[in-house]
Amino acid sequence: MEYLEQNPRASRWSHSKSIGHVLPYRKELDAIIINEVCWMPYSHHRDYRPFEDITLYSGWLKWGTYKQAHLPERVLRQYGHVQHIPRSPQHVTSVVISLEEIDDIWLHYANYVVDVAAIGHQQEHSIDCEDGYMQWFSRISHPLIIPPQERETSKVPQMQPATISHYPSINGPHFVGETCKSCKKIYDILQMVFDRRLAIEGTEIWDITRQALIMARVGSGEKFTHQKGRKG
């Protein structure tokens, strides 16, 4: 509550040093859905701290005797740009340079900033990414912080790949007059996942999301239609 906008944005949050708090945070992060993510956390902070080109410097940074790679091209959505498939971190980390060389590179940082002009700006949504990015991301990343083997999977019912025949017709007796506003909201969110290709066909998350979408359609009273060229 003591945070002031003119302070560094990172000072907006405090954290506990207790190890016991780590697992709840990880569970919350695993449960977060796409429309709950703040993709541009600095957008309301620019009046106090204007954006500087040096922020898009890509390469080695140093602090004392420590050095760390800084690769803003991997999080372009935080800077208001469409996310593209970035280069491998090894383009930076495989090159062994001294602390003195980092100083020299930093003095000429303009030669090492991400070329956002070649990438392009966002046009509509802050989660926009180029075609093929989500397929690439699903191959090189993992969807959960907590590994599946560490979860209490015995309490979670196993979900089978969805087919329309698994669910009764929305005109059936079980659903007459039982449409649900919450289901409609869930349906809209899940449909957005497919429309923006955030779920990749052939992956487990695609099957699970599609099953949930069908159930949300049934609960909200939406008729199930499969549009040509549209996944889900």
Side-chain angles (χ1 to χ4, degrees):
M1 297 299 295
E2 294 80 15
Y3 173 77
L4 299 176
E5 195 64 48
Q6 57 264 35
N7 294 338
R9 175 47 64 97
S11 66
R12 185 178 181 179
W13 296 274
S14 61
H15 65 89
S16 172
K17 294 183 179 180
S18 172
I19 297 177
H21 286 281
V22 174
L23 185 58
Y25 287 146
R26 289 176 176 173
K27 288 182 177 179
E28 289 293 330
L29 288 171
D30 280 350
I32 201 170
I33 58 177
I34 201 77
N35 67 325
E36 294 175 336
V37 177
C38 177
W39 294 96
M40 297 179 62
Y42 305 103
S43 59
H44 300 297
H45 195 58
R46 294 305 180 202
D47 291 340
Y48 298 92
R49 294 179 182 270
F51 183 81
E52 298 182 28
D53 291 340
I54 200 170
T55 307
L56 291 173
Y57 162 83
S58 182
W60 286 106
L61 295 177
K62 78 166 191 174
W63 179 53
T65 59
Y66 295 94
K67 64 180 183 179
Q68 184 68 43
H70 180 253
L71 305 172
E73 64 264 32
R74 304 186 75 83
V75 289
L76 284 176
R77 284 176 285 199
Q78 291 189 16
Y79 303 107
H81 296 276
V82 174
Q83 183 62 56
H84 74 300
I85 299 176
R87 60 179 177 169
S88 169
Q90 293 183 346
H91 281 86
V92 172
T93 58
S94 63
V95 179
V96 181
I97 61 176
S98 66
L99 297 177
E100 291 74 19
E101 289 175 310
I102 295 178
D103 285 336
D104 183 66
I105 291 175
W106 183 250
L107 290 174
H108 302 88
Y109 78 88
N111 297 325
Y112 300 91
V113 296
V114 178
D115 186 3
V116 292
I119 296 171
H121 294 272
Q122 293 183 125
Q123 296 183 356
E124 185 174 0
H125 304 288
S126 60
I127 64 172
D128 284 349
C129 53
E130 70 175 8
D131 290 343
Y133 173 79
M134 291 308 302
Q135 290 90 331
W136 171 85
F137 184 81
S138 66
R139 292 197 307 270
I140 60 93
S141 186
H142 54 84
L144 300 172
I145 297 174
I146 304 175
Q149 60 268 26
E150 296 182 14
R151 295 175 176 272
E152 298 179 349
T153 54
S154 59
K155 297 182 180 181
V156 181
Q158 297 297 315
M159 300 179 71
Q160 299 298 324
T163 60
I164 300 175
S165 60
H166 287 175
Y167 305 101
S169 167
I170 60 174
N171 297 320
H174 296 292
F175 293 94
V176 175
E178 296 182 9
T179 58
C180 173
K181 292 183 179 179
S182 295
C183 288
K184 182 61 170 66
K185 292 180 180 179
I186 295 172
Y187 162 77
D188 291 338
I189 292 172
L190 293 172
Q191 188 61 64
M192 178 190 68
V193 171
F194 281 111
D195 289 344
R196 299 182 185 172
R197 299 190 297 278
L198 302 178
I200 308 304
E201 186 171 4
T203 63
E204 182 179 4
I205 191 63
W206 190 91
D207 291 332
I208 294 174
T209 305
R210 182 172 181 270
Q211 180 176 358
L213 177 61
I214 295 174
M215 289 189 289
R217 277 193 177 112
V218 172
S220 64
E222 295 286 337
K223 291 185 178 296
F224 187 94
T225 58
H226 183 81
Q227 299 180 18
K228 185 176 180 180
R230 184 177 185 173
K231 304 297 183 184

